[in-house]
Every structure is written in structure tokens, then in C-alpha cells.
Amino acid sequence: MSIEKRVIELVEEKIADRPDLFLVDVQMRSSGQLSILIDGDNGVAITDCVAVSRHVGFHLEEENTIEQAYNLEVSSPGLDTPLKLFRQYQKNINRSLSIKLKNGDKKEGKLIAAEGDGITLEESIKEKGKKATVMQNVIPFTDISETKVLVSFK
């Protein structure tokens, strides 16, 4: 069994009693850095990260899963981390997103909805000399290469 698969099992075991938390990503880098990203419908507390870290670290050491030295890092996705899961899109409804499409186009707008096969984005289109028009576009997940949440300091 790969290290990542075992870590996924351990994280899911630890958060099984917390339906508000979910696993976003697990990466074991060649540098020995083991990164676990967890998220929550209402955010993630540091105590949640600590609990997952202790649980995973204890079992990895007990089972001697990783033979070389490693550094375990458990965190929530940062502002610059692209959205990966459908549940993250649902969590960010009514927030502004920056989307890169697979064809190279970029879109920015407010996330209105996230359904099974795509999202609805409200875009403000400004044409020279005219008033901005607001349009809603449905974008299939298959067309999206990267999505990030835009942060406003207004």
C-alpha cells in the first residue's frame, strides 16, 4: 500500500465522526515532506489540524510506514490554493472566483451555484462606452483547469 493511501485511510478514520470536515489532498514529496490538507464546511480550527496530525503521526510511527525521516504538515488550504473538490465549490457560493479554462481563457465573477456537472458564474461584462452588463454563465467542470477564490479587502 502506498504511503498516500495509508494516510488517506488514517485521516478519514480520524474525521469520520466530524461530517463538517473533509480531506482535500495528501502529498508525499521526495524531500520527505508529507502534506495533508483538510477543509471544513465552516472552516478548520487549529485543534482539528493538531488532532489529525497526532493521529496520523502516531499510526505512521507505530506501523513504521515511512522508513526515512519525514516532516508531517497538516493544514487547511490557503487563499492561494486552487479549489479541488465539489464540496469546496459549494462552500464558496456567493464569493468571487478567478477561473482558468482549459482553452486558456480566464474568467472572474461571483459563484452563484455549484451543481453536479458544473458551476454558474455571474460575470460583469464591460464594453467600451456602455454600461456593464451582468451575465450568468454555466461552466462545466470538464472545462476548468484551475479555480481560486478572490479575496477582497474592501
Side-chain angles (χ1 to χ4, degrees), residues 4 7 11 13 18 34-35 45 49 69 97 116 119-120 134 145 152:
E4 283 95 349
V7 170
V11 172
E13 178 182 292
R18 293 283 309 275
L34 175 57
S35 297
C49 293
L97 302 179
I119 61 171
T120 303
V134 176
S145 66
S152 175

Side-chain angles (χ1 to χ4, degrees), residues 4 9 11 19 26-27 38 41 52 58 65 69 83 99 101 103 109 113 118-119 125 127 133 147:
E4 283 95 349
E9 286 177 357
V11 172
V26 173
Q27 289 184 348
I38 58 173
D41 297 326
V52 169
F58 172 79
T65 307
L83 303 182
I99 300 173
L101 300 175
N103 68 6
I119 61 171
I125 311 292
E127 292 183 35
T133 56
T147 302

Side-chain angles (χ1 to χ4, degrees), residues 25-94:
D25 195 21
V26 173
Q27 289 184 348
M28 181 67 192
R29 295 183 181 86
S30 58
S31 64
Q33 177 79 19
L34 175 57
S35 297
I36 301 170
L37 290 180
I38 58 173
D39 205 347
D41 297 326
N42 301 309
V44 179
I46 188 116
T47 54
D48 298 326
C49 293
V50 169
V52 169
S53 177
R54 286 184 179 152
H55 181 77
V56 171
F58 172 79
H59 286 284
L60 292 179
E61 292 298 317
E62 191 77 14
E63 300 164 8
N64 201 20
T65 307
I66 304 174
E67 295 181 9
Q68 75 271 15
Y70 68 96
N71 182 25
L72 175 60
E73 175 186 87
V74 179
S75 64
S76 62
L79 291 174
D80 59 341
T81 306
L83 303 182
K84 289 187 167 198
L85 304 175
F86 177 71
R87 197 162 168 183
Q88 289 177 294
Y89 283 93
Q90 289 179 311
K91 173 183 170 182
N92 286 291
I93 288 176
N94 291 323

